[in-house]
Amino acid sequence: MTREKTPQFCIIFRLLYPLLFFCLRAQKAGGESKSIIPFDVGVVLETETWIGSISWSCMRMAVDDFYAVNPGYSTRISLHLRDSGDQALGSAVAAIDLIKNVQAKAIIGPQTSTNAQFVIDLGEKTQVPIISSSAKSPSLLTTQSSYFIRTAFNDNIQANVVASIVQQFNWRQVVPVYVDDEYGNGILPCLINTFQEIDVRVPYRSRIPPSATMDEILRELNKLKEMQTRVFVVHMTFHLGLHLFTAAEQAGMLKEGYVWITTYGLTDIVDLMGSPAATVMRGVLGLKPFVNRTSKLRDFNQRWREMFDRENPHAIITEPTVFGLWAYDTVWALALAAEKVKAGNFTFPATDDRNGTTEIESLGSSSIGPEFVKFIQSTKFDGLAGKFELIDSQLESEDFEIVNVVGNGMRRVGFWSPPHNISGRRHSADKIDGIVWPGGDEVVPPKGWEWPTAGKRLKIGVPVKPGFPEFIRIEEDPVTKVGVPKGYCIDVFLTVMKDLPYAPYDFELFEGTYDDLVYQVYLKNYDAVVGDVTIVANRSMYVDFTFPYTESGVSMLVPVKDNRKKGPWAFLDPLTTDLWVASGVFFIFTGFVIWLLEHRINNDFRGAPSEQLGTVLYFSFSTLVFAHREKVLSSLARIVVVVWLFVVLVLQSSYTASLTSMLTVEQLQPTVADLNDLIKNGYQVGYLSNSFIPSMLKRLNFNESKLIAYDSPAEYHDAMADGTVAAIVDEIPYLRIFLNHYCGKYAMVGPTYKTDGFGFVFPKNSPLVPAVSRAILKLLESDTMVKFENKLYGNASCPTQEENATNSNSLSFYSFWGLFLITGAASMAALILYLAHFLYKHREYLRNSDPGSSVWAKLILLFELYDQMEKKSDANATTGLKGEERVAGKTMIMRGDVMSPAAISGPQTPSSISSRGIEIIFESGEEMEDSSGDEELPGREISRQNPDPPSFADMLTARDHSDS
């Protein structure tokens, strides 16, 4: 088989194809160079670090992705990378090179806060925007330079996140552990201020030098281990942080009871270094800015991982950190802003440096800098890390996620957002849970503090003093011959501490004042003080007190005297003068009302005027013993009497009780009323030695020379018994003990001056205070505390002055005016009803009376009519005059409503004649009826005539007729 010849033109085409392709590509490139304006941007990173490497790869991808999406833009970002190393000088040299030789319109970097300050100053001088996506220290203020922009979160916000975690678990002490450079020192003031706002104490600040060796770190950790605090907040770089946790594991500080919280920057160490970091950091809580896992981000992560693996085949990093995403979004923001700058302004005039100026002074300034920085600050878009929006030239802080190092990685356990703070889910109010703490416990959070290790025993001071041994005393142990504290205070302390798993302690006896003993805790000579130490303001300036376990207050103790009255007129004392007078007035008034209601119908209330007056007085006062003999016939009078008897019953009972109390019960009265009497009269006052009472009395204007100190209840008694002092001023628990010994002879009087009672003393901000206080509250609610108090005060305590001093004040009218109002109203109502009925009954008389007579004459005639006896059998007394009534010995006949005299013929029955010889016969119809209205009166002729009737006055003046 022969080989065919290749045509010559094909051979020529194959030889010229590369040359033609090269020419076409060059032509295309030349056309693009004429239409696209390059925009030079400098990049200053530490390329040997993971953050630097990740950030650079993300920036390059950002340029490609941006212009792939925006192919029609006339500008194109050109990145120029400079490696700064880990020195601030390297960052400065790199920035000068980029500005002078590249004429960079902006610089991204430096990478760390330590290297940023000089570069920021350089950007201010040359008007070149300095944009950092990783320098987060709060010490780098964007407000200090108009050309510094931070496209990352300020570390200030992390301080709030840490404080929220600490507050949720109620930890009271926190120790910051930070790198001693610009990055570490920058966040410290923010942490301290935030902890102060939530009343969390920072007892120590652990500074680790950036170049610290493992031995130096171990020495610092051993120092932390000897402290009580077990909550640590770590803020440092990856390299130093890994050394720290490795040393902490060796020191046994990653076991149960410890809490470690890492800020962002160190939290990513597990993602960057994998299992080696996770192994030594198990149980650590970390903070990370929250990034929403969108489809765009997932696609980017996949493309970035492929590119990064090609460039770093030995890396174990699986996705870019938030630093890489911030770097990516930073390039997009610069590309958007660069497009807005006018093309003709891309100049960078340099200063003539031939006159011996320095290299920095010869850099000149960017002509587009002021305009360009404004465009960057106003740029907004949705980036890979979230919403890109600059507020005060820095990225707006949004949500954080809280992660927990478990296994070989991390898992999310909660969120933090400004409106809701800590939550188990994003934008909710749920609390975080499911945390695996150091040591593997995921149920009970560490309490945040422990007693120091290495077998140290706590020294607890106990006061040694005479006074009240019931509270605190020292008894010699029969075996060891060593003084052992006993008493109520010791019993309470031992019971409280028995339920708390704390380190062993030893009691140490202290002789001196209570103020000196408390101050020893402030000087750290004692770890606590147990005894009858009162909680007062000046002591609380140096130490902290637990919740009080005794009643509080300061009072005055004085002798008492019996004020029982046994004189001949003691029976008058139960009632005051006004009540005696009011009672007498109402006795007479009530008797008078009864007399008015009963006079016309009841023979018991008739007779001579003197007899009637005696009846009124006798009836009223005999109701005191319910011995009134007069019968009451009127219904109104009966109502009045019933109400009055109720009033008499109350008055009698009250009088009897008061008089009995006055004559039989001891009326113990204090010899001094209050402290003002002591000051006014210049009396001497006693108090307990080595107490705070003298300072309190001085504040109340007591003369210091009038104050005398005593050591025991017996001395109190002797001093008041012989009159050396007029009173003792002391705390209520002491006074109650004293009163049990000398019951009935003394009393607590005057106002109670507030104090907080006895409490246990601990150093300032000690975490023991809330724990012991809760235990005291629990004990106060138990039966054990009742037993302790019964043992202290005795089962039958002596009554206080308020309890045994019966109120000896006489009963006053004010206490009974309601009763008098009731009986007075009832009497007046009955009287008014009766008078109204009487006037209505005799209305014709009032109508037909002599118009010329005076009012006084009418009243006299009306009284005389009232004075007549009214037959009890008159059934029509309430409807008008009918029947018969004899008046002045004449028989008067009324036909209808007109009364006329009539002759009486025949014998008259006694029943028709009144006791006063006056008879009036009322007629209605043809026949006259008797008083009952049923029978015709026998032996009488009723005149059928109707002569002109005489006046009623004439009838009253007519002579009485004798009955035969």
Side-chain angles (χ1 to χ4, degrees), residues 883-937:
E884 69 174 2
E885 184 175 348
R886 292 179 173 84
V887 181
K890 294 184 178 182
T891 300
M892 308 301 298
I893 300 176
M894 174 172 284
R895 294 178 177 86
D897 294 328
V898 180
M899 183 182 295
S900 62
I904 303 176
S905 62
Q908 299 178 2
T909 62
S911 62
S912 65
I913 302 175
S914 68
S915 61
R916 296 181 61 88
I918 301 175
E919 183 178 31
I920 299 175
I921 301 176
F922 301 93
E923 182 181 62
S924 177
E926 296 297 329
E927 296 181 351
M928 183 185 73
E929 298 176 354
D930 63 6
S931 59
S932 65
D934 296 332
E935 299 180 2
E936 182 179 355
L937 295 175

Side-chain angles (χ1 to χ4, degrees), residues 582-828:
S583 300
V585 170
F586 271 86
F587 270 104
I588 296 173
F589 172 71
T590 303
F592 175 72
V593 171
I594 298 298
W595 176 84
L596 285 175
L597 298 176
E598 295 288 314
H599 177 67
R600 300 190 73 234
I601 63 174
N602 194 337
N603 288 328
D604 291 339
F605 289 87
R606 303 186 65 82
S610 60
E611 293 178 359
Q612 296 184 52
L613 178 62
T615 299
V616 169
L617 296 178
Y618 175 78
F619 179 85
S620 298
F621 288 98
S622 63
T623 57
L624 277 173
V625 291
F626 304 99
H628 47 285
R629 64 184 181 183
E630 294 82 3
K631 294 183 178 179
V632 180
L633 304 179
S634 171
S635 298
L636 292 175
R638 290 171 179 172
I639 294 174
V640 173
V641 170
V642 169
V643 175
W644 173 246
L645 288 177
F646 173 73
V647 175
V648 169
L649 176 65
V650 175
L651 280 175
Q652 183 189 43
S653 302
S654 301
Y655 174 85
T656 303
S658 181
L659 181 62
T660 302
S661 174
M662 286 184 174
L663 294 180
T664 60
V665 179
E666 276 190 325
Q667 302 296 317
L668 301 179
Q669 294 297 322
T671 55
V672 180
D674 53 32
L675 290 178
N676 291 328
D677 291 345
L678 298 176
I679 299 174
K680 185 189 305 181
N681 298 319
Y683 293 146
Q684 290 183 317
V685 177
Y687 66 91
L688 188 63
S689 300
N690 297 329
S691 70
F692 68 96
I693 298 298
S695 60
M696 187 196 80
L697 293 177
K698 291 175 186 177
R699 291 195 300 270
L700 296 174
N701 299 321
F702 267 87
N703 188 341
E704 187 175 2
S705 62
K706 300 294 184 179
L707 306 179
I708 303 176
Y710 295 102
D711 291 332
S712 66
E715 293 185 10
Y716 281 180
H717 170 67
D718 295 340
M720 287 187 289
D722 61 18
T724 303
V725 296
I728 296 293
V729 177
D730 210 338
E731 295 177 78
I732 291 178
Y734 295 139
L735 298 184
R736 289 187 61 183
I737 295 292
F738 179 86
L739 288 175
N740 284 344
H741 292 163
Y742 303 95
C743 186
K745 299 180 180 179
Y746 304 94
M748 286 188 288
V749 297
T752 298
Y753 296 89
K754 292 297 182 181
T755 60
D756 284 337
F758 299 161
F760 302 132
V761 181
F762 289 94
K764 201 73 174 174
N765 297 310
S766 171
L768 266 176
V769 173
V772 176
S773 295
R774 285 190 294 269
I776 290 175
L777 287 173
K778 182 179 178 181
L779 178 62
L780 290 175
E781 298 174 358
S782 67
D783 295 336
T784 304
M785 199 66 180
V786 176
K787 296 178 182 177
F788 287 162
E789 291 186 350
N790 289 338
K791 179 181 177 182
L792 175 66
Y793 299 119
N795 292 325
S797 60
C798 182
T800 62
Q801 170 64 15
E802 290 78 7
E803 294 169 342
N804 67 14
T806 304
N807 187 4
S808 61
N809 293 332
S810 301
L811 300 174
S812 65
F813 174 76
Y814 180 79
S815 302
F816 296 92
W817 72 267
L819 287 173
F820 287 119
L821 177 63
I822 293 173
T823 186
S827 299
M828 289 300 299

Side-chain angles (χ1 to χ4, degrees), residues 373-587:
V373 76
K374 291 180 181 178
F375 287 137
I376 298 173
Q377 292 171 344
S378 61
T379 299
K380 297 180 183 179
F381 63 93
D382 290 330
L384 289 180
K387 184 178 180 180
F388 187 94
E389 181 178 3
L390 300 177
I391 297 178
D392 294 332
S393 296
Q394 64 183 3
L395 193 64
E396 182 182 13
S397 300
E398 294 184 352
D399 297 350
F400 276 79
E401 59 179 331
I402 303 170
V403 297
N404 187 203
V405 180
V406 293
N408 293 324
M410 295 185 296
R411 65 181 177 92
R412 181 191 301 156
V413 293
F415 291 88
W416 183 93
S417 56
H420 304 284
N421 292 337
I422 294 292
S423 60
R425 294 175 297 171
R426 192 179 180 209
H427 300 303
S428 72
D430 299 337
K431 292 185 178 181
I432 61 176
D433 54 9
I435 299 175
V436 176
W437 304 99
D441 189 356
E442 58 177 312
V443 179
V444 181
K447 63 178 179 291
W449 63 273
E450 290 181 1
W451 286 114
T453 57
K456 179 182 177 182
R457 300 178 66 89
L458 298 178
K459 292 172 32 177
I460 298 180
V462 177
V464 177
K465 67 176 186 63
F468 292 84
E470 293 85 352
F471 288 100
I472 192 79
R473 64 184 181 275
I474 307 300
E475 296 182 358
E476 186 180 86
D477 187 277
V479 178
T480 62
K481 304 301 181 180
V482 176
V484 179
K486 299 287 185 179
Y488 172 78
C489 300
I490 301 298
D491 292 340
V492 172
F493 180 76
L494 294 177
T495 305
V496 167
M497 299 300 289
K498 181 177 60 177
D499 296 333
L500 301 177
Y502 298 137
Y505 50 84
D506 295 321
F507 291 119
E508 293 194 7
L509 307 182
F510 179 86
E511 296 184 5
T513 66
Y514 279 72
D515 289 340
D516 292 340
L517 176 57
V518 171
Y519 194 64
Q520 295 301 312
V521 177
Y522 174 76
L523 297 176
K524 298 183 179 180
N525 294 328
Y526 290 128
D527 297 306
V529 167
V530 174
D532 49 346
V533 182
T534 306
I535 305 171
V536 291
N538 64 326
R539 294 172 182 171
S540 64
M541 297 173 61
Y542 302 97
V543 295
D544 278 348
F545 289 91
T546 63
F547 192 85
Y549 56 89
T550 63
E551 58 184 319
S552 61
V554 172
S555 189
M556 180 174 64
L557 188 74
V558 298
V560 294
K561 58 183 179 181
D562 187 4
N563 285 342
R564 285 184 299 179
K565 295 184 177 180
K566 301 179 181 179
W569 302 103
F571 68 91
L572 295 176
D573 293 332
L575 306 184
T576 57
T577 303
D578 58 349
L579 185 55
W580 279 117
V581 172
S583 300
V585 170
F586 271 86
F587 270 104

Side-chain angles (χ1 to χ4, degrees), residues 9 85 93 142 261 267 376 510:
F9 76 91
V93 172
T142 57
I261 303 174
T267 303
I376 298 173
F510 179 86

